[in-house]
Amino acid sequence: MAKKPAHKRKARTSGKSSIRTRLIEAAKAAQKNAYCPYSRYPVGAAVITDSGRVFTGCNVENASFGLAICAERVAIFKAVSHGEKAIRALCVAAKSAKPCGACRQVIIEFAPKDAEIIYVDWNPMAKKHKVTFTKAGKLLPQAFNPSEAGL
Ligand SMILES: [Zn+2]
């Protein structure tokens, strides 16, 4: 039997504080690899999947601006391309770490509503960060919902 799609499952939440620490450090480390010569706005992201694997991403820009991709989608697509289909938690690290609308739609495709989303407002120069927690279900009110669409 096929696994339920993410939007129909519940996130596993055991070991929450160590997962948070691991994701925050992974996202901050990934931020250092950002390729952002145009915006000069580095972003890092990290996800942990249901199987416990961590995947990271950074924003990757292009001279043809529309080809840029956000750190969150890089991390999620890396996880999916390695056979993972369920995000247990996601962390974004940037000066002001909030996912864009496109990333929010991608997050809810793979993360159940109760999956933890962590924002790390992080300034590497000042070495200060502010951490905020929310849930995937709060990211995109009235989002396109695959269940409602019969998908
Ligand atoms: Zn985005």
Side-chain angles (χ1 to χ4, degrees):
M1 189 171 117
K3 259 184 147 178
K4 284 182 183 179
H7 59 279
K8 293 184 178 175
R9 285 185 279 103
K10 286 200 171 275
R12 291 177 23 206
T13 53
S14 60
K16 197 181 251 184
S17 104
S18 67
I19 289 172
R20 284 176 170 171
T21 302
R22 192 170 163 201
L23 287 181
I24 289 168
E25 292 311 312
K28 285 163 68 175
Q31 186 187 19
K32 293 176 186 164
N33 294 326
Y35 177 74
C36 53
Y38 309 104
S39 71
R40 295 175 194 221
Y41 193 81
V43 183
V47 297
I48 186 164
T49 65
D50 262 4
S51 66
R53 295 170 76 190
V54 172
F55 294 87
T56 59
C58 61
N59 52 330
V60 182
E61 296 179 349
N62 191 280
S64 176
F65 293 168
L67 300 179
I69 185 165
C70 302
E72 301 93 313
R73 278 180 282 157
V74 170
I76 291 170
F77 293 163
K78 280 169 70 178
V80 172
S81 69
H82 282 82
E84 303 285 345
K85 301 289 188 286
I87 303 302
R88 194 161 143 195
L90 174 144
C91 177
V92 188
K95 187 174 174 189
S96 176
K98 301 288 183 296
C100 74
C103 286
R104 290 171 190 241
Q105 185 73 52
V106 170
I107 291 167
I108 63 174
E109 179 78 24
F110 296 103
K113 288 181 180 176
D114 62 339
E116 187 162 68
I117 307 298
I118 308 166
Y119 304 138
V120 181
D121 294 332
W122 161 242
N123 180 345
M125 302 304 277
K127 302 227 182 272
K128 286 184 178 175
H129 73 232
K130 177 183 157 212
V131 181
T132 310
F133 302 97
T134 189
K135 297 289 182 187
K138 293 186 174 181
L139 289 179
L140 195 58
Q142 301 179 340
F144 176 72
N145 183 319
S147 296
E148 292 172 9
L151 299 175

